[in-house]
Amino acid sequence: MAKDVHPPRGMRDFLPLEKSHRDQILTQIRETYLSHGFQEIETPALEDLARLTSGQGGDNEKLAFRVMKRGAELESALFASGDSADGLADLGLRYDLTVPLTRYYATNRAKLPTVFKALQTGPVWRAERPQKGRYRQFVQCDIDIIGESSELAEIELLNASLDALAAIGLADATIRVNHRVLLANLLDGLGVAEADRGQAMIIIDKLDKIFAEGVIAELGEKFGAKVAEAASGWLSTLEGVLDAPAELAAIFNAIEARHGKGKLRFDPTLVRGMGYYTGPIFEIEHPGSGSSIGGGGRYDGMVGRWLGQDAPAVGISIGFERAVDLVDGAEGSDPKALVLVLNSNSPVCVAAALNAQAEAIAAGYRVRLEQRPKKLGNLLESMQQQGFGSWAQIGEGDPFNIKDIKLLLS
Amino acid sequence: MAKDVHPPRGMRDFLPLEKSHRDQILTQIRETYLSHGFQEIETPALEDLARLTSGQGGDNEKLAFRVMKRGAELESALFASGDSADGLADLGLRYDLTVPLTRYYATNRAKLPTVFKALQTGPVWRAERPQKGRYRQFVQCDIDIIGESSELAEIELLNASLDALAAIGLADATIRVNHRVLLANLLDGLGVAEADRGQAMIIIDKLDKIFAEGVIAELGEKFGAKVAEAASGWLSTLEGVLDAPAELAAIFNAIEARHGKGKLRFDPTLVRGMGYYTGPIFEIEHPGSGSSIGGGGRYDGMVGRWLGQDAPAVGISIGFERAVDLVDGAEGSDPKALVLVLNSNSPVCVAAALNAQAEAIAAGYRVRLEQRPKKLGNLLESMQQQGFGSWAQIGEGDPFNIKDIKLLLS
């Protein structure tokens, strides 16, 4: 009897057509970013656990899969730890690509350009409770610019990302933009003390879930009636289209000049969770998705932690899994995918098949060999479901004729 | 001061030019295999630890990185385990792509073609002592055919692999071939008992390290003087070119008809370590490398373990890291990689630069924007080292002229 076999909980196998669909989308995103002069890098899947849990990763740090020490090191850690888990692990699987990027930059900066424009895509792992659309292994697509403090960096990231989204068929995507300094000024204006800013931002971040009433109520609970009243006044001014403030004008102007109006939208209520943002922040939206499909922002303080000297940095990430769900699958079969049916297993037929295959590959086909089964129709129907659109047979002295599988099956 | 930052021991960062070189080679291998009708799949990096250590992976099982249980499960395992490490881990990082493939086939076979021709590439992890050329994370490139018992499967694997090696510039690669049944018959003939075959194969496998004298001596020690004498007689007959025996004739004929003579070489001493091989076995060699650059063979018994019913299977793997070392790097700079120098940060100049960039991308360039620095020569020299071969400037009302960086620097 077959044993019950699955991939680990929350992780996925990809069937050939899914894999090909995902690969196509990832390739289009990567090629767009490369065409914009971003340089692709790769870091290991594992990082030192101490680095992954040093405060840089926010809440995600708790979700790092821990990899056990090995051999003598494990034995001595076990001996020392009694029944606590501390010290049994020394490595962890990365939960994002930003922490590895900042480590990479500190390790390799002598060999990198002064302004480093990085592209990194790859799987990350989070030990979350699996839910619909939330996986324990998933792909991220990040671009970051380190070493450029002017808005040219933000402009390049947003410009390249809009092009990448258009390349995969998501030309309707728009990006909400805010600025952490504006948020800070706003909170000052509402009467929130500097020390309470973080907490107030967390409340404002819930606007799309608890609406204006909820935000006003929670601000009131935490910071008193005066703040609530000021917030109520502020929120009531937010109806209608808002022009971008001076802090964001250069970014808005450049993107409008290249992509037309409406791609960027100023949203003074946009917060984004991560504590490390210091300047402009972005969130990518698409009418087909209820939640954001990516985001990012400027994080000028973070790279310096490994580097020992400050380096301005800004990044944006396309949520690959959400983007894949929005892009229509490459349904149907491909006429350039050919099933070549061998009429016998004789040496002459096999040799002829290998030559015909090479010829068709040179003409741009993908060519799968198959021995002729009793029921040719069943084979070709199953091949059509796998994306093969054409077939030919070889071995009877027939001319090498490529035919449409549809015609045979209809 | 900068903290000391490295990737974890035995794992690597890839700089942009290395990454691009590796990606190019991997893409050529993948595209060749896809053109031969192999279907690409993806499995998670993690598998259940019980599956990774069930005897299918040979010595590699000991090298699996173990991933710790989390939360309450970890606490109760710690409580139960005292100071042993048993039971603290439930997942492991894959150490090869074959164990995941056989699990994948058992999980998904209802959605796969009867004859499944799989392509899988990706990183694997082994907790080995790092050495020169041996890493703890490295890439494998596997193709396998499950469900085909005739030699057509071996022929397809070898044909596609020779094409893939040629595609990356390793047309000089050759493949040594043997058959496990021939090895078994040979050992019978030498007087080795069936129960001792495995041990005798391990000794013969060392032929290239300890030579004929060593093999004869070790066989004598283990199995007595008679076996040693018979082995000595056998080894002395192996000088000169050997014709492939009848068991391998169909494979040799088909590959010779397509690739000419000399691509395959019968080697009656080839063993390959893995215990699970049941038929033809292969090892890929290249004159530029002292060790093999890949290998594989038929493993008809293995897939059945998860499936509950037997399925014939054969696979071959290109050792990606060794292949990369043999392929010349894409040295020098690319004339289609363009540095576009902005003469100012003014809105007009930025807008003009984004438009010029879009125009050049449409013409097939990769275009990197740069603000004009004080020393243009230094910038362009550094960009040339990063692979950029052309430059242009924008913003002075100049025509958009693309120039060779070499000319400026010479």
Side-chain angles (χ1 to χ4, degrees), chain A residues 178-192 197 204 230-231 234-235 237-238 268-269:
Chain A
N178 197 8
H179 197 301
R180 275 289 171 98
V181 171
L182 293 175
L183 264 177
N185 292 346
L186 168 78
L187 293 171
D188 274 355
L190 298 182
V192 174
R197 263 182 209 160
I204 293 174
W234 167 61
L235 286 165
T237 66
L238 297 185
T269 71

Side-chain angles (χ1 to χ4, degrees), chain B residues 120-141:
Chain B
Q120 192 179 11
T121 73
V124 302
W125 294 265
R126 293 186 189 167
E128 288 191 279
R129 181 182 297 275
Q131 303 172 22
K132 190 171 154 17
R134 185 171 287 187
Y135 306 105
R136 292 182 147 198
Q137 173 176 332
F138 58 97
V139 168
Q140 290 196 330
C141 289

Side-chain angles (χ1 to χ4, degrees), chain B residues 48-66:
Chain B
D48 287 340
L49 188 60
R51 197 162 283 142
L52 289 177
T53 55
S54 62
Q56 226 180 342
D59 284 349
N60 293 332
E61 295 198 351
K62 293 178 211 137
L63 305 176
F65 280 102
R66 284 156 163 74

Side-chain angles (χ1 to χ4, degrees), chain A residues 346-405:
Chain A
S346 73
V348 174
C349 181
V350 171
L354 295 191
N355 284 330
Q357 183 188 39
E359 197 184 299
I361 288 173
Y365 283 87
R366 282 182 286 129
V367 187
R368 179 181 162 106
L369 302 187
E370 283 285 342
Q371 301 197 52
R372 190 178 189 103
K374 285 205 186 102
K375 297 190 172 167
L376 183 62
N378 288 4
L379 169 69
L380 293 181
E381 196 174 345
S382 128
M383 288 293 102
Q384 198 183 34
Q385 283 159 15
Q386 299 290 328
F388 288 80
S390 303
W391 74 288
Q393 56 188 328
I394 199 127
E396 289 179 335
D398 296 339
F400 180 37
N401 262 340
I402 294 176
K403 286 161 275 187
D404 195 327
I405 291 183

